[in-house]
Amino acid sequence: MKKILAIALVALLAAGFAFAGGSSEETQIVSTDGSTSMESVIGSLAEAFMNENPEISVTYNPTGSGSGITAVSEGRCDIGLASRALKAEEIESGLAETILALDGIAIIVNNANPVSDLTVEQIADIYTGKISNWAEVGGNDGPIVLIGREAGSGTRDGFESITGTEDLCQYRQELTSTGDVITTVSTNPNAIGYASLSAVSDNVKTVLVNGVAPSEETVLSGDYLIQRPFVMATRSGEALSDAAQKFFDYALSSEAAPIITGAGAVPLN
Amino acid sequence: MNVKKVKEDTIHFIFLILGLIAVGSVLVITIYLVISGLPAIREIGLVDFLFGTRWASTSAQPEYGILPFILTSIYGTAGAIVIGVPIGFFAAVYLAKMAPRKVCQVMELCIGVLAGIPSVVYGLVGMLILIPAIMAIFDVPDGASLLAAIVVLAVMILPSVINVSLTSLQAVPREYEEASLALGATWTETCFKVTVPAARSGIFTAIVLGIGRAIGEAMAVMMVAGNVANMPSLFQSVRFLTTAVASEMSYSSGLQRQALFSIALVLFFFIMLINATLLVIKKRSQSL
């Protein structure tokens, strides 16, 4: 009896594999890989796109901007996602960039922190360690805990290049995703961090930068200074597959603009 | 007769192949690590690589010194052993020699569950409970630190320490204890002066296995240690050998990637050292 049951189970599993294999042959796959900051934008774009084109499946691998660029140049995905502009050597190596949207990098503190407005200079001084107590910027007495991202992150790259703090930041923690930064800041009253505006939730408080709150209008007008592009990177010598090209065009169409807005970023079209 | 022999030989052959899969995997991994790990060491220089105190793989002038990672791994593992082994060992003595049967059954069940918890869960619990607790207890600005990693690792090595010590304590012949009791020693005296020394080699094995488990752990440590390449200090955020590889591998390129393989090679060397120690202990206990 047990034997029969076991055989039946194995047969069922095998059938499952066969079925899964068969159905994936019919659907076309568009693989994207990269920035964890772009998760909500790509997630909602992919969902809307797949609703209209059920024969195409869009996958997204959240690995960080650097990984996404490496993946697309090595041919491991169709579209690489980067939350920073491509570097000159990356374009030379055969990649093309298309800006999908703009995103503000929100400076976040714990909800219990009374500080609500910082200048870009203050932020740079905080991250390089010149300012190390919240009392120096109008907060309660307490050491500032700097939370940042790992070295391959597009958010880190954007933040450090805008504030002019490349290689100078005295991080207390280097976390590997946008969500980890938000969680950590939300549990430590002395923490400050940076995260994609599109990902920030009520768990943390967003501070004004030079008196400007990050929003769609202030990012697009350029009044909010700490912002960076969301980029789709493709191999320049090589045409995208039909399915990937369709998704690529869809993401840049005016139809997709409200979806990008809904996900918290600022579409260009 | 002949048919039988062919059948036997075929079966032998199949089992040989299955055995060789394991051997082959070890060989492939070793050769691959050595080949991909050596170029960076040659380029950076062995001394600069092993004893350099600054790791800045992505800065404009990259530096590849992994002394902080090596020391962090050693201190972290040592700390976990110092906390975890006494707890695990005395728990094993209690379970083997003193606990009532019912208690023993329940505790063994719990230890089994502890062994089966995935490391990411240890990391998550550490991140949400241990880190704020360290912040509150020690009044430090941030709890993600070497200490947090040590506590998480100490709990993670408990099951293997307890299980191996337990087996070796249970294997001590009853006659030894009975002789001791007959001479007028109390039960506790017998436990610690007769049973424990007799189970010595098993207890060493437990310690070495614990070291192996602790030094190789990446996921849980990555979530609680803060991951900044500082020289180790108890309340500082630190990066282990394992997390150094794991956190940069996905986006690395060029010399940086090769250097990560070199880190893996160093880690591999440590693990080999631990396995060799284990073999020596086993040999010694057999010759006694």
Side-chain angles (χ1 to χ4, degrees), chain A residues 140-156:
Chain A
N140 300 329
D141 182 45
I144 302 180
V145 176
L146 302 173
I147 308 295
R149 287 287 307 277
E150 86 282 4
S153 154
T155 314
R156 169 161 162 174

Side-chain angles (χ1 to χ4, degrees), chain A residues 43-65:
Chain A
S44 33
L45 276 177
E47 198 184 324
F49 179 74
M50 285 189 286
N51 275 341
E52 287 177 26
N53 303 282
E55 77 284 2
I56 301 175
S57 159
V58 180
T59 64
Y60 162 63
N61 194 7
T63 54
S65 300

Side-chain angles (χ1 to χ4, degrees), chain A residues 79 81 135:
Chain A
I79 300 172
L81 305 172

